[in-house]
């Protein structure tokens, strides 16, 4: 495994003059991070070079826990506004898992991957309501990713921006980094940046831009044991829920059936309550608390993971 | 045994106790089950909350006396495996008063209904509240005489149909909590059966209070009152309690009230006033001399 965050890019993104097809840059994030601003800057830079630019984006999804992305394509001639999978010269992630989500769009072997290591865990990454559920947020370590992609940069841009006094300039730090792998004159970057950022923040933004440029030249500590992105340890204990139903006490009032938040109970042909979706039961006890007839008892126990209780095993065999 | 070892032992014991989960069956007279309440009757949920509170307070069943009157609510005492008294209609508070004065060491709980407590037993309630004797009175308010087939009660909401108000009730109902407060109860609270855990916590506070505590439980008579007034199925009735709660913190209704009344819930009154038994004994010591007062 690589001991540095960056494997130095073998070559910079091919110059537009040397290639026929357009240059493709995919910018991704979670909303509120400046994805659109970064793409505007890039588009403007390309226009200033007299190149054709096409851009398409999806935004406004952030509030629903969705991602925000923007495709930028520029070159002498650009037709389609979207980047096909595996064709991106650069994937720029403003958030770690979003960067990884779009990694497959990168040109295999030659594309450059740049991503903030900032993790914004969305609520939807855990849709299992059980107590010990694991979330689905990317568990890859930075080192793992850097090792896979020949040209990868994974700075803690948000951390650096916070040090500069404004967390929101993280995107400008990444922009600075991006400027080192692209072929536009560095002065143009600064000018365009000044055009797009609020005047009051220009000073900080310029500092952030330089910080991003300088980052590539620094020697970075190995991040193999980066705690923030380590895979979550396996839980050693598992919660086991058992519902004990006293059929002879149930009076078919339907309260538990209608009040179970997971809808896992039903009245059977004899109008007696039955657990029809045991896998969905979270052990929340709502049924137990609201049954006026004490016909349901919820038993919750913790058992070592990977062991099935003897009783449960018996049920499987039966 | 060394002092440390002893301490460890007692700590372990405390740990075992707190780990001991609430199993309602430990508190019931199982030979009487299933109980006689109708399907969906809120009184069952209230009984669970009470037993759960007793469990969480570590009250031993032989240290508990439950006194009830007559009604569907009154029947509940029979199901509890403690010292229970199923007394006459309207009189549980009177019985409980005598019992508590004779056995102040017991936890005395009264389970009563809106008819039992506010109609025939209304006088007992106000005087118990005035005296501030340390008993916990739990009134299950279903706005009706459930047991006798659905007659109007002192808490029946306006325009509601009962067997004795076939054209709709035109008497305004009592606010039982306001009544208890006015009569001097030092602890007053109200909760709905839908919020079982909150109800249990309220009961726990009432049971721990030194003085007369009055708890009104909003309960559903599904089979009689619910049917007569087309209040919906059992789950619909219990869920509709939510719409009738008037949260204390901002004083605005959550939603359009489903029932005619809005209710404040939670602890409504908590006051410090001399408890009757203790005050009475103190007085006896003073006027009769300590030697003359029985231990
Ligand atoms: C002295 C006397 N009067 C009347 C009755 C008839 N009676 C039995 S229960 C009851 C009312 C019960 O209503 P409530 O207290 O609200 O209890 P619920 O059944 O609604 O829980 C009445 C009037 C009686 N048993 N004894
Ligand atoms: S404990 Fe009961 S209410 Fe909760 S999910 Fe399981 S069956 Fe449903
Ligand atoms: S709440 Fe209890 S009595 Fe009603 S249907 Fe469910 S198990 Fe049966
Ligand atoms: S008559 Fe009403 S209060 Fe009595 S048991 Fe039936 S539902 Fe409950
Ligand atoms: Mg009643």
């Amino acid at each position: 495994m690589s001991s540095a965050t960056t494997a130095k890019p073998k070559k910079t993104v091919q110059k537009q003059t040397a290639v026929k097809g357009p240059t493709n840059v995919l910018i991704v994030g979670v909303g509120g991070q400046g994805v659109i601003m970064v793409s505007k800057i890039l588009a403007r830079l390309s226009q200033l070079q007299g190149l054709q630019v096409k851009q398409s984006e999806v935004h406004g999804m952030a509030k629903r826990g969705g991602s925000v992305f923007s495709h930028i394509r520029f070159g002498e001639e650009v037709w389609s506004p979207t980047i096909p999978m595996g064709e991106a010269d650069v994937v720029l992630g403003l958030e770690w898992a979003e960067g990884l989500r779009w990694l497959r769009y990168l040109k295999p072997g030659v594309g450059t991957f740049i991503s903030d290591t900032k993790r914004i865990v969305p609520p939807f990454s855990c849709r299992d309501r059980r107590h010990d559920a694991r979330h689905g947020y990317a568990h890859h370590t930075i080192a793992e990713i850097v090792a896979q992609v020949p040209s990868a940069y994974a700075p803690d841009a948000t951390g650096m921006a916070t040090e500069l006094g404004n967390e929101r300039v993280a995107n400008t730090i990444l922009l600075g980094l991006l400027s080192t792998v692209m072929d536009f004159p560095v002065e143009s970057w600064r000018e365009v940046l000044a055009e797009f950022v609020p005047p009051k923040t220009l000073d900080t933004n310029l500092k952030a831009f330089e910080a991003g440029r300088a980052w590539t030249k620094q020697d970075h500590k190995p991040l193999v044991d980066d705690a923030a992105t380590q895979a979550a340890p396996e839980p050693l204990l598992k919660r086991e829920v058992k519902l004990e139903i006293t059929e002879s006490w149930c009076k078919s009032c339907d309260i538990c059936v209608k009040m179970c938040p997971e809808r896992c109970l039903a009245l059977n042909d004899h109008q007696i309550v039955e657990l029809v979706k045991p896998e969905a039961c979270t052990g929340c006890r709502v049924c137990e608390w609201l049954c006026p007839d004490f016909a349901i008892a919820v038993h919750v126990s913790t058992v070592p993971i990977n062991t099935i209780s003897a009783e449960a095993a018996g049920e499987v065999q039966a | 045994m060394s002092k440390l070892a002893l301490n460890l032992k007692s700590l372990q014991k405390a740990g075992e106790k707190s780990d001991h989960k609430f199993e309602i069956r430990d508190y019931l007279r199982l030979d009487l089950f299933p109980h006689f309440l109708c399907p969906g009757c809120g009184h069952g949920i209230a009984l669970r909350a009470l037993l759960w509170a007793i469990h969480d307070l570590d009250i031993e069943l032989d240290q508990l006396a439950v006194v009830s009157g007559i009604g569907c609510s009154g029947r509940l005492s029979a199901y509890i495996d403690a010292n229970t008294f199923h007394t006459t209609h309207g009189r549980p508070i009177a019985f409980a008063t005598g019992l508590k004065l004779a056995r102040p060491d017991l936890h005395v709980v009264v389970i009563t209904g809106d008819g039992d407590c506010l109609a025939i037993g209304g006088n007992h309630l106000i005087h118990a509240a005035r005296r501030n004797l340390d008993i916990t009175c739990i009134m299950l308010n279903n706005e009706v005489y459930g047991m006798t087939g659905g007659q109007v009660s002192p808490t029946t909401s306006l325009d509601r149909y009962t067997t004795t108000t076939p054209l709709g009730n035109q008497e305004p109902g009592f606010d039982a909590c306001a009544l208890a407060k006015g009569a001097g109860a030092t602890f007053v609270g109200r909760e709905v059966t839908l919020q079982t855990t909150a109800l249990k916590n309220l009961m726990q506070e009432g049971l721990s209070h030194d003085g007369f505590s009055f708890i009104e439980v909003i309960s559903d008579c599904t089979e009689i009152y619910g049917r007569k007034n087309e209040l919906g199925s059992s789950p619909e009735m219990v869920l509709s309690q939510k719409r009738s709660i008037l949260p204390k913190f901002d004083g605005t209704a959550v939603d359009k009230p489903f029932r005619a009344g809005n209710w404040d819930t939670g602890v409504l009154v908590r006051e410090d006033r001399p408890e009757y038994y203790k005050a009475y004994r103190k007085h006896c010591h003073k006027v009769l001399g300590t030697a003359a007062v029985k231990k």
Side-chain angles (χ1 to χ4, degrees):
Chain A
M1 198 163 276
S2 162
S3 65
T5 38
T6 68
K8 288 286 174 202
K10 290 186 186 75
K11 49 190 165 187
T12 57
V13 173
Q14 287 138 336
K15 303 181 180 185
Q16 298 83 12
T17 46
V19 279
K20 282 264 160 23
T23 302
N24 300 322
V25 181
L26 185 58
I27 302 153
V28 298
V30 295
Q33 293 186 306
V35 166
I36 305 300
M37 203 217 19
V38 171
S39 33
K40 276 184 186 161
I41 289 176
L42 217 51
R44 173 59 131 208
L45 271 166
S46 319
Q47 283 172 333
L48 290 177
Q49 305 293 308
L51 299 169
Q52 272 193 13
V53 189
K54 284 214 161 67
Q55 190 256 346
S56 70
E57 69 197 32
V58 165
H59 67 271
M61 298 281 285
K63 276 196 189 120
R64 303 253 184 291
S67 60
V68 178
F69 61 84
S70 171
H71 294 229
I72 315 257
R73 314 187 79 194
F74 53 85
E76 261 137 43
E77 223 173 24
V78 185
W79 295 101
S80 166
T82 54
I83 305 170
M85 196 183 293
E87 297 274 315
D89 296 286
V90 179
V91 168
L92 183 77
L94 272 62
E95 195 275 344
W96 181 243
E98 286 307 315
L100 297 191
R101 185 209 294 277
W102 294 96
L103 200 49
R104 64 208 155 104
Y105 272 71
L106 202 61
K107 256 182 207 162
V110 291
T112 300
F113 176 67
I114 304 173
S115 179
D116 194 344
T117 54
K118 166 85 175 171
R119 292 155 49 99
I120 300 174
V121 183
F124 292 107
S125 72
C126 185
R127 301 178 69 173
D128 183 340
R129 297 168 68 185
R130 278 171 299 194
H131 176 70
D132 53 0
R134 297 189 64 195
H135 63 75
Y137 189 90
H139 291 292
H140 314 271
T141 64
I142 296 169
E144 269 165 10
I145 299 304
V146 169
Q148 272 173 32
V149 185
S151 166
Y153 299 83
D156 173 16
T158 304
M160 291 161 70
T162 310
E163 268 172 40
L164 287 173
N166 186 354
E167 200 191 64
R168 297 182 59 86
V169 301
N171 60 350
T172 309
I173 291 177
L174 295 173
L175 207 63
L177 218 159
L178 180 66
S179 73
T180 65
V181 298
M182 306 214 56
D183 199 35
F184 302 119
V186 62
E187 245 341 285
S188 303
W189 285 88
R190 293 196 185 103
E191 278 161 23
V192 176
L193 187 65
E195 224 179 281
F196 282 93
V197 301
K200 264 193 261 171
T201 66
L202 179 60
D203 201 36
T204 322
N205 269 294
L206 284 174
K207 275 191 201 138
F209 183 77
E210 297 311 326
R213 284 183 70 81
W215 191 86
T216 55
K217 298 187 195 92
Q218 290 158 12
D219 213 15
H220 299 288
K221 276 192 275 116
L223 284 167
V224 183
D225 54 3
D226 183 323
T229 47
Q230 285 275 302
E234 288 290 333
L236 297 173
L237 291 173
K238 192 172 165 28
R239 212 156 145 274
E240 204 179 69
V241 181
K242 279 205 73 188
L243 234 66
E244 182 190 351
I245 293 174
T246 311
E247 294 185 5
S248 58
W249 290 9
C250 169
K251 292 190 188 133
S252 330
C253 73
D254 210 28
I255 289 180
C256 60
V257 175
K258 292 287 167 4
M259 301 297 279
C260 167
E262 312 300 332
R263 297 281 184 271
C264 40
L265 298 168
L267 295 183
N268 64 19
D269 292 344
H270 305 288
Q271 295 296 300
I272 299 296
V273 70
E274 201 177 292
L275 179 63
V276 289
K277 281 198 277 168
E279 69 290 347
C281 172
T282 61
C284 71
R285 294 185 189 273
V286 165
C287 55
E288 182 185 74
W289 292 337
L290 289 178
C291 173
D293 289 272
F294 319 137
I296 305 181
V298 180
H299 302 289
V300 180
S301 52
T302 29
V303 292
I305 204 152
N306 297 332
T307 61
I308 317 171
S309 73
E311 242 174 301
E315 271 168 24
V316 172
Q317 280 156 21
Chain B
M1 221 187 293
S2 77
K3 205 172 171 192
L4 182 71
L6 264 174
N7 279 347
L8 275 178
K9 231 134 176 211
S10 63
L11 263 181
Q12 268 168 0
K13 241 185 125 186
E16 276 161 26
K17 188 87 196 172
S18 67
D19 277 353
H20 174 56
K21 284 209 309 289
F22 171 54
E23 299 279 0
I24 195 161
R25 282 158 178 267
D26 298 346
Y27 293 81
L28 299 175
R29 293 185 178 138
L30 293 172
D31 50 326
L32 295 181
F33 273 76
H35 57 50
F36 90 141
L37 301 171
C38 306
C41 177
H43 291 358
I45 306 175
L47 177 57
R48 162 183 295 278
L50 174 62
L51 296 179
W52 189 4
I54 284 164
H55 170 90
D56 277 14
L57 288 172
D58 283 342
I59 297 174
E60 301 290 341
L61 284 176
D62 56 2
Q63 288 304 301
L64 173 70
V66 183
V67 187
S68 67
I70 301 295
C72 300
S73 43
R75 183 65 184 157
L76 294 187
S77 64
Y79 297 113
I80 306 172
D81 197 11
N83 306 294
T84 59
F85 301 86
H86 195 178
T87 69
T88 56
H89 189 39
R91 315 294 171 220
I93 294 177
F95 273 87
T97 301
L99 177 63
K100 182 72 187 182
L101 288 172
R103 287 290 303 273
D105 55 312
L106 294 179
H107 290 272
V108 179
V109 175
V110 169
I111 302 181
T112 174
D114 45 309
D116 199 57
C117 186
L118 300 176
I120 188 170
N123 263 290
H124 299 298
L125 170 70
I126 56 175
H127 295 295
R130 175 174 63 85
R131 288 188 196 108
N132 199 32
L133 180 64
D134 184 19
I135 53 186
T136 305
C137 175
I138 293 168
M139 188 194 88
L140 308 186
N141 179 8
N142 53 11
E143 301 196 5
V144 75
Y145 286 11
M147 167 142 272
T148 44
Q151 294 80 5
V152 73
S153 100
T155 56
T156 306
S157 294
L158 274 179
D159 297 330
R160 280 289 147 85
Y161 300 106
T162 68
T163 52
T164 45
T165 57
L167 301 180
N169 174 38
Q170 290 309 303
E171 296 178 7
F174 260 139
D175 177 338
C177 288
L179 179 71
K181 178 185 176 187
T186 49
F187 184 98
V188 178
R190 185 192 282 119
E191 197 48 80
V192 296
T193 53
L194 176 68
Q195 319 251 40
T196 321
T197 46
L199 178 59
K200 170 227 145 197
N201 290 336
L202 181 67
M203 288 178 172
Q204 219 169 308
E205 301 224 7
L207 285 160
S208 320
H209 178 75
D210 190 23
F212 185 76
S213 32
F214 179 81
I215 291 169
E216 178 182 1
V217 182
I218 305 298
S219 179
D220 296 317
C221 171
T222 47
E223 282 297 309
I224 294 178
Y225 197 63
R227 272 176 201 272
K228 260 201 179 338
N229 291 285
E230 294 176 1
L231 300 180
S233 62
S234 300
E236 279 165 355
M237 274 187 81
V238 73
L239 197 59
S240 75
Q241 293 176 347
K242 203 167 75 174
R243 282 180 268 176
S244 301
I245 302 169
L246 187 71
K248 264 224 110 201
F249 44 89
D250 65 357
T252 50
V254 175
D255 204 335
K256 214 172 119 224
F258 182 79
R259 292 186 172 180
N262 273 332
W263 298 298
D264 285 312
T265 57
V267 178
L268 308 177
V269 174
R270 199 199 308 255
E271 262 172 36
D272 216 9
R273 191 154 67 77
E275 192 273 329
Y276 179 68
Y277 174 79
K278 292 192 188 105
Y280 185 67
R281 270 190 81 83
K282 211 167 146 193
H283 182 69
C284 288
H285 279 278
K286 198 171 120 194
V287 297
L288 302 174
T290 301
V293 182
K294 270 218 275 178
K295 248 196 108 195

